[in-house]
Amino acid sequence: MTSSSPASTRKAQIDAVLLKLPGVSARKINGLDAYFVADRLFACISGLGVGLRLPVATATELQFSKDNVVPFQPAGLGSTREWIQINRSDAAEYEKDLELFRASLEFVKAGRTR
């Protein structure tokens, strides 16, 4: 009997939430498990959290209103105002964040002008 590692089980649980969204695909980027829509990155796994890209106002509001939302800083890199990380000890609970993942997907899919 084999058992999967906690990291692979965690990824499988996150995959179960994100890969059911329309048009989402997964692949590795810079060693991180990442999720794409229309070939654009919208979320990725880092440590015990999932980073996602949202409009600046939404990202800022979430960092102040939720205790499990922090700036997204994969591998200690500097954070940007559009990226947040949602930390959950139980990856199955990311189902509760489905609305935020959908918002991120739509934001990234729509693109943005600078």
Side-chain angles (χ1 to χ4, degrees):
M1 184 157 88
T2 62
S3 64
S4 57
S5 72
S8 64
T9 300
R10 185 171 180 78
K11 182 185 179 321
Q13 291 173 313
I14 294 168
D15 280 354
V17 174
L18 296 181
L19 293 178
K20 71 181 178 185
L21 296 171
V24 173
S25 62
R27 64 181 185 259
K28 287 257 191 200
I29 184 169
N30 297 329
L32 297 174
D33 291 299
Y35 301 89
F36 295 80
V37 63
D39 212 31
R40 295 178 180 170
L41 176 68
F42 80 94
C44 65
I45 301 172
S46 179
L48 292 177
V50 176
L52 67 153
R53 186 174 171 202
L54 291 163
V56 171
T58 304
T60 301
E61 189 267 325
L62 287 168
Q63 287 181 58
F64 286 102
S65 65
K66 294 188 172 238
D67 60 359
N68 66 330
V69 175
V70 298
F72 181 60
Q73 297 178 283
L77 296 174
S79 64
T80 69
R81 294 177 30 170
E82 287 184 341
W83 281 88
I84 59 164
Q85 179 169 312
I86 302 170
N87 293 319
R88 292 205 177 271
S89 55
D90 179 355
E93 290 195 356
Y94 282 109
E95 189 73 37
K96 296 175 181 177
D97 303 307
L98 204 48
E99 187 178 316
L100 289 175
F101 290 121
R102 283 191 179 113
S104 175
L105 182 149
E106 291 302 323
F107 174 65
V108 170
K109 194 164 68 171
R112 69 164 209 249
T113 56
R114 289 186 178 225

